[in-house]
Amino acid sequence: AMAQTLHHRGPDDGGVWVDAEAGVALGFRRLSIIDLSPLGHQPMVAAGGRYVIVFNGEIYNFKDIAASLAQEGVTFRGHSDTEVLLEAIAKWGERAAIAACEGMFAIAIWDRRERTLTLARDRAGIKPLYWGLTHDGVLLFGSELKALRCHPAWQGEIDRDAVALFMRYGYVPAPYCIYRNTWKLEPGALLTYRGRAEPTIVRYWDPRSIAATAQADPAPGTDGERIEMLEHLMVRSVKNEMVADVPLGAFLSGGIDSSLVTALMQANSRR
């Protein structure tokens, strides 16, 4: 029922994976972009059987990660970025694998051996991820709050402090949420939940430290060389984001940014 509320986000496929003994259930709705075959179905279990994943988003550098894994002897059943991410986690661990990813994502990983759940969100927070703890100690998570509301343990008490934040700013800033004991996982963060212990949250990416490093050690070269470097990075980024097994398009507003992205897409297109 929780997954079905998200049908509009993933109309192409859906699935549920349950470990009743561990008290864990993962549900998913899929919008098929890469590997449209059943080999891209989610929830997905790693080849070794230890890890299970649900993954909303896209890993733009998954081919580079797949090549590195292949050099370490990893073989793949399909060609989805989900499988590449899952096998990277199995080989390198959750934090190292996610830190290697360039993309937009909201991820849940269940470690069947350690009985640990890990939630992760991309660096810019492009993909949403809500989580909450009920009075009974049940941890719920999903891409939208309406999914959490379907669970029988859901309480749904309005958080008055969040209402005050909304009245002040016009929105509820992260990590807060309109409901009590419910939060947005912040961008660049990893949440780990083991049993009934309090969840722990760490950052694998922090814009403050990135900005401080850039100020302390700015890009070398002249202005012209920096412009060429920026162009190279933009071309690489757009080209990576065009990897898909379905047609691509762009929302073109006519401004400088969307026009530039669309021009780079056209330059990297065969038609």
Side-chain angles (χ1 to χ4, degrees), residues 41-149:
H41 177 80
Q42 295 188 53
M44 184 181 290
V45 182
R50 176 176 173 180
Y51 295 97
V52 188
I53 194 171
V54 284
F55 157 55
N56 172 35
E58 191 171 349
I59 306 301
Y60 302 131
N61 63 331
F62 78 100
K63 290 186 176 181
D64 294 336
I65 296 174
S68 297
L69 291 171
Q71 291 179 347
E72 298 184 40
V74 177
T75 58
F76 300 97
R77 296 161 286 182
H79 65 274
S80 70
D81 54 344
T82 305
E83 184 182 6
V84 171
L85 171 59
L86 182 57
E87 296 306 327
I89 291 167
K91 195 73 174 177
W92 303 333
E94 295 98 323
R95 184 162 184 169
I98 291 168
C101 291
E102 299 173 8
M104 54 177 182
F105 49 81
I107 306 169
I109 308 145
W110 173 243
D111 185 338
R112 301 172 73 182
R113 187 176 74 189
E114 298 296 330
R115 294 202 169 192
T116 301
L117 177 73
T118 300
L119 304 181
R121 194 172 177 204
D122 64 72
R123 293 166 177 79
I126 298 171
K127 291 299 182 183
L129 183 51
Y130 296 88
W131 68 278
L133 281 172
T134 71
H135 296 324
D136 301 329
V138 178
L139 186 140
L140 304 173
F141 62 91
S143 294
E144 296 185 16
L145 288 171
K146 64 179 69 174
L148 278 61
R149 290 201 297 260

